[in-house]
Amino acid sequence: MVDPHSIVVKRALILLTIVAAGCQQGLISPSPRPSPTPSALSACPAGATAPAGAQVLLRNLPAPDDLTFDTSGRLLFGDIKAGTVSALGIDGSVQQITGGLSVPEGIVELANGEILVAEQGRNRIVAIDPVSRGVRQWRAFANRTGQEGIDGIGPELLSIAAAPGGVIVPDSPNGLVWRVSLDGKTATQIGSGMTRPVGSAVDQNGRIFVADEGGSVWTLDPARRRFATLPTPDDVVVGRAGQIFVNTLGDNAIHEFDAQGHQLSMMSGINQPQGIALDGADNLYYTEFTTGRIFRVVRTFALDSPTVSRTAGGTFVVCPVIRRARAFNRSLALSTGSSLATSILGLVQPGTDSSGALEVQTLEPTITIGISAIGDGDNLGLSQIVHLTP
């Protein structure tokens, strides 16, 4: 028989009391609110394989010129005969943003949502308000040369140590390049000695590329150096993987270079490719000025309009439609932002032969989904706004 007053027994009795109290507390505590049970989702079918060559997106335009993408994924394009700037949505719809411009050329969207347009006929840059769509003068430039006015502009410099902030502006008639403050009030000359600079871009290392219709593509880092010699370069863009693309009017082509200036490929037989752009997945877009068309070349993957169905429980199932280039087989990831009014109930990732799926419960009329490539560190990705209700 164990002595009930022993230290061992006292400690055992205390421990049993604590355990019993804990069990009793668990019995009377309110049960946690059950989370929604996700529906059994199946991956949605993949879209058809993307065309191997160039695909016509728009036709019968008066004179399409420069291109760029805005933050919502719309393709902005100017038309120098119509005097308009318009947006092409992922669903193929076209929305005019503004009109009445005199030869609208280069276009760039600033981080604050304003759209800057080079108005060649008035040798100035105008800013378009994203809400009211009102147009105001952002900065005017002097032109006493008798030559055509300012051409391509941009991009905006965001986080480059050598040139923080501002917008690159090639001063076409005067053969100069400026870095202009975001309010348009202050201009700093960063390049000179060019024939007719008409387009610019910047790579991940801060090198500024300038397309010069005199036959050269220059880099400013910060000294001016010749990157390539080409027949009448008109614009230049840099891909997320570091390739440099230049459209040339002298040979009706688009040239692709690596970061060291070695040519990788060339697309020829294009009727005056006045505009060129890359989307977030490095797919190539260009205009054919003389035929009034805009083309796309899917180099990785593209998104068509998704399908949306509403379930009996008041939730929405979203089916993305991913179209892969034939040689693109990298894994893709589906994601979406969430808010207090949106709950993600189910998510199926895309496969090489599927587009994934998403089930949400929300009071919002739209959600945004994103598709990104996994691996290689090039940050290839596309996003689109999905309208849940008509």
Side-chain angles (χ1 to χ4, degrees):
M1 183 174 180
V2 180
D3 185 353
H5 298 290
S6 70
I7 295 176
V8 173
V9 173
K10 284 184 179 180
R11 288 179 177 175
L13 290 174
I14 292 172
L15 179 60
L16 287 172
T17 303
I18 294 173
V19 171
C23 294
Q24 185 67 19
Q25 174 99 16
L27 290 174
I28 62 175
S29 296
S31 300
R33 184 178 179 181
S35 59
T37 302
S39 303
L41 278 181
S42 298
C44 305
T49 302
Q55 171 192 9
V56 179
L57 298 181
L58 283 178
R59 61 181 77 239
N60 299 322
L61 300 171
D65 205 280
D66 282 350
L67 303 169
T68 195
F69 280 90
D70 68 8
T71 52
S72 65
R74 300 183 304 171
L75 180 65
L76 306 182
F77 64 95
D79 193 299
I80 66 172
K81 287 186 179 179
T84 57
V85 173
S86 303
L88 172 64
I90 195 170
D91 59 356
S93 63
V94 177
Q95 181 182 36
Q96 181 176 310
I97 296 174
T98 193
L101 301 178
S102 178
V103 193
E105 286 277 359
I107 310 170
V108 63
E109 185 189 45
L110 300 182
N112 65 6
E114 277 192 313
I115 299 171
L116 300 184
V117 180
E119 199 176 11
Q120 189 176 88
R122 298 185 175 100
N123 203 49
R124 65 175 187 169
I125 298 175
V126 297
I128 304 172
D129 185 273
V131 178
S132 69
R133 298 186 184 175
V135 178
R136 65 176 177 86
Q137 179 169 291
W138 186 74
R139 186 176 182 89
F141 291 82
N143 180 9
R144 301 178 182 89
T145 66
Q147 301 180 35
E148 291 181 333
I150 198 166
D151 205 301
I153 59 170
E156 178 181 0
L157 301 172
L158 296 175
S159 58
I160 300 170
V167 177
I168 303 172
V169 178
D171 187 346
S172 306
N174 296 301
L176 306 173
V177 179
W178 304 91
R179 184 177 73 246
V180 183
S181 60
L182 295 180
D183 58 9
K185 295 180 179 179
T186 305
T188 303
Q189 183 179 309
I190 60 174
S192 62
M194 304 177 199
T195 303
R196 182 174 170 82
V198 289
S200 56
V202 63
D203 70 6
Q204 293 85 347
N205 297 316
R207 283 192 304 173
I208 295 172
F209 294 81
V210 181
D212 183 351
E213 284 188 346
S216 300
V217 176
W218 307 98
T219 59
L220 306 176
D221 55 353
R224 177 170 62 90
R225 297 182 177 87
R226 190 185 307 275
F227 178 78
T229 300
L230 293 168
T232 319
D234 186 69
D235 207 350
V236 56
V237 293
V238 179
R240 291 174 179 262
Q243 304 99 319
I244 294 90
F245 296 83
V246 184
N247 54 322
T248 47
L249 304 180
D251 59 355
N252 290 307
I254 296 175
H255 302 258
E256 178 188 4
F257 296 88
D258 66 14
Q260 288 72 45
H262 305 119
Q263 183 155 313
L264 303 176
S265 68
M266 181 179 75
M267 292 177 54
S268 58
I270 305 171
N271 289 295
Q272 292 293 280
Q274 295 275 354
I276 185 173
L278 295 168
D279 65 16
D282 270 357
N283 298 310
L284 178 66
Y285 296 71
Y286 64 89
T287 59
E288 271 195 346
F289 181 81
T290 52
T291 65
R293 297 185 293 181
I294 297 178
F295 292 81
R296 175 180 69 182
V297 179
V298 178
R299 304 174 65 248
T300 55
F301 67 94
L303 301 180
D304 284 352
S305 295
T307 61
V308 179
S309 58
R310 186 164 189 165
T311 68
T315 64
F316 298 90
V317 175
V318 177
C319 277
V321 180
I322 302 172
R323 303 185 68 187
R324 291 173 176 262
R326 192 171 300 277
F328 184 79
N329 55 14
R330 284 170 58 183
S331 297
L332 299 175
L334 168 64
S335 62
T336 183
S338 60
S339 65
L340 295 177
T342 302
S343 299
I344 301 171
L345 304 182
L347 178 65
V348 178
Q349 292 296 344
T352 55
D353 58 352
S354 68
S355 292
L358 174 70
E359 184 178 15
V360 298
Q361 188 173 45
T362 183
L363 301 175
E364 301 289 340
T366 65
I367 61 170
T368 300
I369 63 172
I371 304 292
S372 57
I374 300 173
D376 285 358
D378 47 18
N379 298 317
L380 298 179
L382 297 172
S383 64
Q384 63 183 164
I385 297 174
V386 179
H387 294 271
L388 300 177
T389 54

